[in-house]
């Protein structure tokens, strides 16, 4: 059964009437991971924000987005707000900018959980601490009292994952979660995202242009180019026998790049390096 | 935070000394001889060089420059700013009450400016580009561009003369505050709310707002975070508005016959009452430094990054 079904999603700029995403359709099966790949400006992030109805007011969208059978576009703003976080959880690209810079990160975590659950402060802290420990964050209580600029990008990314663990949503949208990170942190974050799926059994949309990571995490892949879906299918199929020329171009580029990288690194596995 | 406060206060001490020195020098550079001014003010018919020399000795002006400065500084620290050349009264007895009166007017105005600027700024930012925003900006532009004396005259004519609701001048009851505060507030709030508006607009486009929304936080909670972050930029401006208004009430005070610093300083300048002018300049300069410090401390309280820097 599909958790999310997107049918004929169109996004356009109401000011200039420019079409940004032209009628894309796809679905995410329960417990599976769909990767959306493509170059910058191909409409990947816009699609994610459209699902959460978080695009800027100047952007309009049409089509149908069914989440567990319910059309999200027909919901009131209040009903939509109750879905955000608790049922559909977003993990954003830049952890450094995802938290209020003048509050310690714990404030956002506590506020979010208190919004969705009737737990007492102690219970929230206990659950949060356990979640943070499970994503390999040492001294969770200390971390909760730190400001975003005192933590690293990888840590902030893992804090977002820990929050998702506590909220236990049905769908997680990870919008380029590794792009702003160095190779080692990116590897750790991907490991944690995979563990998160395993532990909660949630479905995931994973947006990235790093095909190496996509190959590792995705069950299905959606390739976007200039606002249109050019190809979709099972991950192994896309990587072995892509039908569309653009997909082959992406895959071959990635292979060439990783071969070159391996040569430079002298055959050392990137993840271990 | 305590450490920051201590360091920031220590930094202002040399600044205060420098300012007092500059104030003292400024008066020394005046082409007028203070002794002559005193004699003129006392109505002495013929000013002879002997008389000038004698007065100079009485005023202690025959001593070396640096000694005079130190003497003056020490007495200033005890709030003894000397005596007025014109009336002979102690400067503090003239300046103190006037300062308090102006401070009252300033604080009430600043409170009104703060409330109005933040409220209008936030509303306009949330309604950016819509009718409310455009209307508020147009009206404020019109009002803020009116010179204060004209605005004061219009308000007096309408509220004090035509409707007879408020007194035209003086400082008798809370009603006396309304018109002068309105004139001051309209001028400054018209400028400051734009700063709040653009700061809020900037923050609304920050990634943390989007992430908070994605986490399902209610808009009013998100707005509290946005306002807190937006105020960091505007805190400095609001704090500095206090000394700016303290020193800038001349027009308003004269129109409404407010017995404050503005009225007093103009009188002192007209009659070349050196000790009074000197004390006035010093008090304002100290106010600038004081509120600059307050602004820095407030900003540090709001912004954790700044706290670590010092």
């Amino acid at each position: 059964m599909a958790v999310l079904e997107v049918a004929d999603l169109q996004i356009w700029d109401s000011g200039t009437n420019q079409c940004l995403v032209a009628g894309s359709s796809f679905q995410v099966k329960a417990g599976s991971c769909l990767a959306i790949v493509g170059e910058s400006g191909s409409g990947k992030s816009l699609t994610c924000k459209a699902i959460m109805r978080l695009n800027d007011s100047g952007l309009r969208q049409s089509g149908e987005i069914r989440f567990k059978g319910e059309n999200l576009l027909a919901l009131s703003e209040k009903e939509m707000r109750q879905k955000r976080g608790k049922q559909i959880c977003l993990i954003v690209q830049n952890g450094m900018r995802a938290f209020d810079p003048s509050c310690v990160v714990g404030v956002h975590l506590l506020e979010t959980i208190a919004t969705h659950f009737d737990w007492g402060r102690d219970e929230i802290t206990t659950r949060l601490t356990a979640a943070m420990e499970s994503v390999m964050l040492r001294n969770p209580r200390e971390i909760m009292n730190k400001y975003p600029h005192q933590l690293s990008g990888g840590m902030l990314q893992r804090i977002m994952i820990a929050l998702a663990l506590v909220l236990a949503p049905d769908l997680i949208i990870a919008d380029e979660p590794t792009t702003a990170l160095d190779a080692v942190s990116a590897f750790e974050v991907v490991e944690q995202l995979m563990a998160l799926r395993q532990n909660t059994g949630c479905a995931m949309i994973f947006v990235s242009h790093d095909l190496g990571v996509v190959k590792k995490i995705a069950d299905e892949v959606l390739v976007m180019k200039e606002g249109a879906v050019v190809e979709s299918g099972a991950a192994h199929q896309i990587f072995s026998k892509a039908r569309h020329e653009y997909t082959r171009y992406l895959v071959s580029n990635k292979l060439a790049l990783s071969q070159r990288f391996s040569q430079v690194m002298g055959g050392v596995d990137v993840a271990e390096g | 935070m305590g450490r920051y406060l201590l360091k920031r206060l220590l930094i202002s001490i040399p600044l205060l000394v420098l300012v007092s020195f500059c104030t003292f020098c400024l008066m020394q550079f005046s082409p007028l001889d203070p002794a002559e001014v005193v004699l003129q003010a006392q109505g002495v018919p013929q000013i002879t060089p002997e008389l000038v020399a004698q007065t100079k000795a009485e005023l202690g002006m025959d001593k070396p420059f640096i000694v005079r400065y130190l003497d003056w500084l020490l007495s200033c620290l005890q709030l003894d700013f000397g005596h007025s050349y014109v009336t002979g009264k102690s400067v503090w007895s003239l300046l103190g009450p006037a300062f308090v009166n102006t401070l009252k007017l300033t604080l009430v105005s600043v409170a009104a400016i703060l409330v109005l600027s933040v409220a209008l700024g936030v509303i306009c930012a949330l309604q950016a580009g819509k009718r409310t925003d455009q209307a508020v900006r147009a009206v404020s532009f019109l009002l803020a561009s009116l010179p204060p004396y004209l605005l004061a005259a219009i308000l007096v004519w309408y509220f004090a003369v035509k409707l007879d609701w408020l007194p035209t001048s003086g400082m008798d009851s809370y009603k006396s505050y309304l018109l002068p505060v309105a004139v001051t507030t309209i001028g400054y709030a018209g400028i400051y709310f734009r700063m709040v508006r653009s700061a809020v607009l900037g923050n609304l486009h920050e990634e943390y707002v989007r992430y908070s929304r994605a986490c399902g936080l209610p808009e009013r909670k998100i707005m509290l975070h946005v306002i807190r972050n937006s105020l960091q930029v505007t805190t400095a401006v609001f704090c500095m508005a206090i000394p700016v208004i303290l020193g800038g009430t001349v027009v308003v005070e004269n129109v409404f016959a407010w017995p404050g610093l503005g009225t007093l300083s103009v009188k002192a300048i007209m009659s070349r009452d050196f000790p009074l002018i000197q004390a006035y300049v010093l008090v304002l300069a100290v106010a600038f430094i004081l509120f600059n410090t307050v602004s820095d401390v407030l900003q540090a309280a709001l912004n954790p990054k700044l706290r670590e820097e010092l």
Side-chain angles (χ1 to χ4, degrees), chain B residues 197-224:
Chain B
R197 177 183 175 273
S198 71
V200 171
L201 268 183
N203 265 287
L204 279 175
H205 287 105
E206 284 288 331
E207 190 69 18
Y208 76 85
V209 173
R210 200 190 294 278
Y211 183 55
S212 298
R213 286 194 179 133
C215 285
L217 285 180
E219 273 307 296
R220 93 195 121 74
K221 270 206 176 138
I222 299 175
M223 269 325 284
L224 285 181

Side-chain angles (χ1 to χ4, degrees), chain A residues 129-150:
Chain A
T129 316
M132 285 169 82
E133 272 165 356
S134 79
V135 294
M136 303 297 168
L137 287 166
R138 278 180 218 103
N139 302 328
R141 273 164 202 270
E142 207 176 290
I143 290 175
M144 277 193 254
N145 280 316
K146 294 251 190 221
Y147 291 96
H149 71 273
Q150 295 170 319

Side-chain angles (χ1 to χ4, degrees), chain B residues 13-29 64-74 76 278 281-283 285-286 289:
Chain B
I13 292 176
L15 208 59
L16 283 168
V17 174
L18 186 73
V19 156
S20 70
F21 187 72
C22 290
T23 314
F24 191 74
C25 286
L26 216 61
M27 292 301 141
Q28 305 303 313
F29 290 144
F65 177 78
I66 198 74
V67 175
R68 273 185 288 145
Y69 168 66
L70 289 176
D71 279 349
W72 175 76
L73 187 64
L74 270 180
C76 281
Q278 206 167 25
V281 173
L282 185 69
V283 164
V286 169
I289 294 177

